[in-house]
Amino acid sequence: MNPAITGISSMATKALLAELTRAYVQRSGHQVEIESVGGVDAAKRVQSGEAFDVVVLATDAIDKLLAAGRIVAGSKVDLVHSGVAIAVRAGAPRPEIGSEDALRRAVLAARTIGYSTGPSGVQLAKLFERWGIAADIQDRIVTAPPGVPVGALVARGEVELGFQQLAELMHLEGIEVLGPLPEAVQIVTTFSAGVCAASGHPDAGRELLDFMASPAAADAKRRQGMEPA
């Protein structure tokens, strides 16, 4: 019996990896078990030497793990490009967000603004700084705890205007996705993968990542709100 391939990822790719691993299991007979947690926690666990076969994170986090020797040199593959979308609670007023100016007005008008601790949240904070409104809205910012979708806070009414990657918003109940960030300020995160240096099955892990990066995985990536890298 083939050994199970184990992995860890951030929450952003949870639904995508679930779909891709199901397809891979049918093709290969390998079992695959991928745990999805907050991205910071996932990186820490790989950095500490916890034994996973593969890791999927934002590309800069993968690069740091590569530099630290926690990922096998030459095993990094880019999987998807993931853009940020905006959501409100189901049934709530839908502010105009179609242009940069309209989005800025919507942010200033919102009672609470939510984003994640991940790469998109960092970039949004920089955008608000660039707009010159960071000080005005700092008391209204709600940062979702690691592993908790921003959309869940929106659905509960704790956040009026929520920002997170489309892939993390599109399947949640109780919210309405207004659309993507305007193109002029869109934030795109590339998610990459690598074989962990602590892997007990590096060849099997590499085969899994080859499949995830192949054209056969493209349709699943688009279904989950992302673009193939």
Side-chain angles (χ1 to χ4, degrees):
M1 182 176 173
N2 290 325
I5 302 168
T6 62
I8 191 166
S9 79
S10 58
M11 295 299 292
T13 53
K14 180 178 181 179
L16 170 64
L17 294 178
E19 182 170 351
L20 290 181
T21 53
R22 283 195 299 271
Y24 185 71
V25 167
Q26 289 178 344
R27 294 167 65 113
S28 69
H30 273 290
Q31 292 303 303
V32 182
E33 299 168 1
I34 296 182
E35 182 180 354
S36 295
V37 297
V40 173
D41 292 338
K44 283 180 180 176
R45 289 170 65 180
V46 175
Q47 181 64 44
S48 72
E50 192 169 337
F52 296 102
D53 295 314
V54 298
V55 56
V56 181
L57 291 169
T59 196
D60 59 339
I62 292 291
D63 287 341
K64 289 175 184 175
L65 292 171
L66 261 172
R70 295 301 186 184
I71 291 176
V72 176
S75 71
K76 178 187 173 184
V77 292
D78 294 337
L79 297 181
V80 288
H81 304 305
S82 179
V84 171
I86 309 162
V88 295
R89 193 177 190 181
R94 298 170 62 94
E96 172 58 44
I97 54 107
S99 68
E100 183 173 354
D101 285 344
L103 178 59
R104 185 177 182 275
R105 288 193 296 271
V107 170
L108 283 170
R111 291 188 301 275
T112 45
I113 303 116
Y115 53 71
S116 74
T117 56
S120 61
V122 173
Q123 292 303 313
L124 276 164
K126 290 179 180 177
L127 175 62
F128 298 154
E129 291 270 359
R130 181 162 66 77
W131 281 348
I133 65 172
D136 297 329
I137 64 173
Q138 63 182 2
D139 293 339
R140 292 182 268 152
I141 296 291
V142 179
T143 305
V148 176
V150 174
L153 305 183
V154 175
R156 294 201 294 263
E158 296 172 26
V159 164
E160 183 175 340
L161 198 64
F163 295 80
Q164 199 160 30
Q165 285 162 58
L166 174 61
E168 296 183 78
L169 292 173
M170 61 189 294
H171 298 304
L172 290 176
E173 295 183 358
I175 67 172
E176 293 180 10
V177 177
L178 300 177
L181 286 181
E183 189 172 340
V185 293
Q186 178 57 276
I187 296 165
V188 177
T189 301
T190 298
F191 286 92
S192 305
V195 176
C196 296
S199 169
H201 315 289
D203 291 340
R206 199 179 293 262
E207 288 175 10
L208 171 63
L209 296 188
D210 285 346
F211 167 71
M212 289 186 171
S214 74
D219 287 346
K221 292 170 182 178
R222 294 190 177 98
R223 273 196 297 276
Q224 297 297 339
M226 300 180 177
E227 285 297 316

